Amino acid sequence: MSDLATLEQTILGQITAAGDESTLEAVRVAALGKKGSISALLSTLGKMSPEERKTQGAAINLAKDKVTEALSQRREVLKSVALDARLANETIDVTLPLREPPVEAGRIHPLSQVMDELTTIFADMGFSIAEGPDIETDDYNFTKLNFPIGHPAREMHDTFFFNPKEDGSRLLLRTHTSPVQVRTMLSQKPPIRVICPGRTYRIDSDATHTPQFHQVEGLVIDKGSHLGHLKWILHEFCKAFFEVDHINMRFRPSFFPFTEPSLEADIQCRRDKGEIRFGEGEDWLEILGCGMVHPNVLRACGIDPDEYQGFAWGMGIDRIAMLKYGMSDLRQLFDSDVRWLNHYGFRPLEVPTLAGGLGS
Ligand code: DAH
């Protein structure tokens, strides 16, 4: 066999033996690269006689073509082998279970949850939400609500007052949500049906009182509204809120300057080993104050008491939240302790609805 034929066989053997594309590339460079074996043979052509060049040239070029062809065939084979290997490696098993969703961090505070629950229930009864500022005037917090200046009822509320202004008037932190009644009556024409949830403040701090707490006020003003409507609304509210089919309520006479008559409402319950059940038992729990809006209040807010009447109620949100969700210490509501929140808080996407359940 001629040298050329031997070289060609060697190179073709190396091509067949190359197991991956980089080895194959090395074979190509060694044969056809600038300093490759076949390129070296081609460069000898110049020194040959024309006769020799004719035969040798044709032979070398033939060998070069064969090598080039073998290289490209081998490259195709290696490529498809590599692709098959990747496909075998990267298959997706669609029967695998889904990955766990990311851990939901953060919880809705029970008070926010309870406010959402309240508004959901009252919205379903056709109430809208009214709001007012935490910093109020003495006039809206007291005077227009029929607390005459100097009247002892003002002392019932331990009020945070701001320093008096030059004209002697004083702003204060509202002691109840009732001034929002005044704001609503001054800005809307009856019929009125609103609830006003919000922050309230009193100088008081012990196991059952915090200086800042929450109330929800309700107000209905219309031509024919009466105590029967009020009782029905509160009864329906309590059933929906405590998520029970049956609840017993009791109304006791009371006193508030802005209502006449004034009542306090209790719900029946049984306390059993730290648990509380509603609608049965011997205990009564006071949950709210209410009554028919006093004619003086209607008059102070520009509503004619001979044409319209109405009723109102005010309820502590913190307390009903604790009752519903079994929290023992009021102060924990304000501690911002993440461990407590993880336990008592609610998942952000589980929004309370009447159909889907309030306290998920
Ligand atoms: N504002 C009262 C309080 O803070 C609660 C209240 C009682 C509100 C009777 C009312 C009501 O609207 O009619 O103690």
Side-chain angles (χ1 to χ4, degrees):
M1 217 195 291
S2 70
D3 287 353
L4 180 60
T6 314
L7 179 64
E8 186 189 303
Q9 285 306 313
T10 313
I11 297 173
L12 291 178
Q14 289 170 344
I15 290 174
T16 317
D20 56 56
E21 288 184 78
S22 65
T23 314
L24 188 66
E25 177 62 7
V27 174
R28 185 193 69 79
V29 173
L32 303 178
K34 258 193 206 156
K35 293 179 184 164
S37 46
I38 292 186
S39 313
L41 286 178
L42 284 169
S43 70
T44 60
L45 289 177
K47 292 181 193 142
M48 293 180 190
S49 66
E51 275 304 300
E52 242 185 334
R53 192 181 304 149
K54 223 178 178 181
T55 52
Q56 284 296 313
I60 298 171
N61 274 315
L62 189 66
K64 183 185 169 190
D65 290 349
K66 278 193 189 161
V67 167
T68 309
E69 174 62 20
L71 279 169
S72 87
Q73 277 181 10
R74 185 68 188 151
R75 196 172 293 123
E76 286 311 311
V77 171
L78 289 178
K79 259 194 194 158
S80 84
V81 168
L83 181 64
D84 286 347
R86 255 187 81 187
L87 286 173
N89 246 329
E90 295 178 8
T91 50
I92 297 169
D93 182 353
V94 289
T95 65
L96 281 177
L98 286 180
R99 220 177 276 157
E100 286 275 299
V103 182
E104 275 178 66
R107 288 284 176 270
I108 301 292
H109 194 284
L111 283 175
S112 307
Q113 169 79 15
V114 164
M115 293 220 204
D116 287 349
E117 294 179 17
L118 293 172
T119 45
T120 305
I121 297 169
F122 284 114
D124 190 57
M125 295 189 203
F127 283 76
S128 38
I129 297 201
E131 287 181 314
D134 291 12
I135 298 177
E136 261 301 355
T137 60
D138 190 297
D139 187 37
Y140 283 12
N141 195 79
F142 291 126
T143 314
K144 284 199 164 46
L145 287 168
N146 198 33
F147 290 80
I149 291 165
H151 191 280
R154 286 184 183 230
E155 310 308 319
M156 282 163 46
H157 296 197
D158 302 295
T159 313
F160 287 105
F161 286 105
F162 287 77
N163 290 335
K165 295 199 228 173
E166 270 175 17
D167 63 6
S169 66
R170 292 180 300 183
L171 291 174
L172 48 82
L173 290 177
R174 67 180 179 193
T175 57
H176 49 180
T177 39
S178 305
V180 189
Q181 287 189 29
V182 175
R183 290 179 175 274
T184 309
M185 287 188 271
L186 286 173
S187 62
Q188 293 180 24
K189 293 245 163 306
I192 292 173
R193 218 185 292 172
V194 291
I195 58 159
C196 333
R199 293 199 182 91
T200 45
Y201 307 81
R202 287 186 204 177
I203 305 171
D204 216 348
S205 187
D206 59 33
T208 53
H209 297 92
T210 48
Q212 189 257 300
F213 56 105
H214 301 84
Q215 286 190 340
V216 58
E217 193 82 10
L219 176 70
V220 172
I221 304 285
D222 207 339
K223 284 189 171 149
S225 39
H226 56 70
L227 276 182
H229 297 147
L230 169 67
K231 285 173 78 173
W232 182 85
I233 288 173
L234 295 176
H235 201 249
E236 287 304 306
F237 164 75
C238 287
K239 280 200 303 189
F241 180 74
F242 291 110
E243 300 182 61
V244 289
D245 295 332
H246 170 76
I247 206 151
N248 286 330
M249 293 186 82
R250 148 178 112 171
F251 291 83
R252 288 177 288 105
S254 183
F255 170 77
F256 302 103
F258 36 89
T259 43
E260 182 55 40
S262 300
L263 311 159
E264 273 175 329
D266 303 334
I267 48 174
Q268 194 176 36
C269 66
R270 161 171 300 140
R271 290 174 203 267
D272 198 10
K273 299 188 200 92
E275 282 232 333
I276 186 158
R277 291 180 169 284
F278 296 101
E280 51 180 284
E282 285 71 49
D283 280 349
W284 291 95
L285 257 173
E286 182 199 321
I287 59 160
L288 58 91
C290 58
M292 296 301 294
V293 179
H294 198 293
N296 287 351
V297 176
L298 293 173
R299 237 175 261 119
C301 298
I303 292 177
D304 179 358
D306 294 326
E307 195 181 353
Y308 287 102
Q309 54 190 335
F311 50 83
W313 69 90
M315 187 162 49
I317 296 182
D318 315 78
R319 215 170 108 99
I320 58 166
M322 289 171 68
L323 281 175
K324 179 166 180 181
Y325 291 113
M327 297 176 260
S328 54
D329 189 336
L330 174 73
R331 289 168 292 196
Q332 288 173 332
L333 290 172
F334 301 89
D335 274 349
S336 305
D337 181 337
V338 270
R339 293 162 303 176
W340 183 89
L341 257 178
N342 274 337
H343 181 76
Y344 285 104
F346 292 80
R347 297 191 124 81
L349 295 177
E350 289 174 1
V351 178
T353 61
L354 286 179
L358 290 172
S360 31

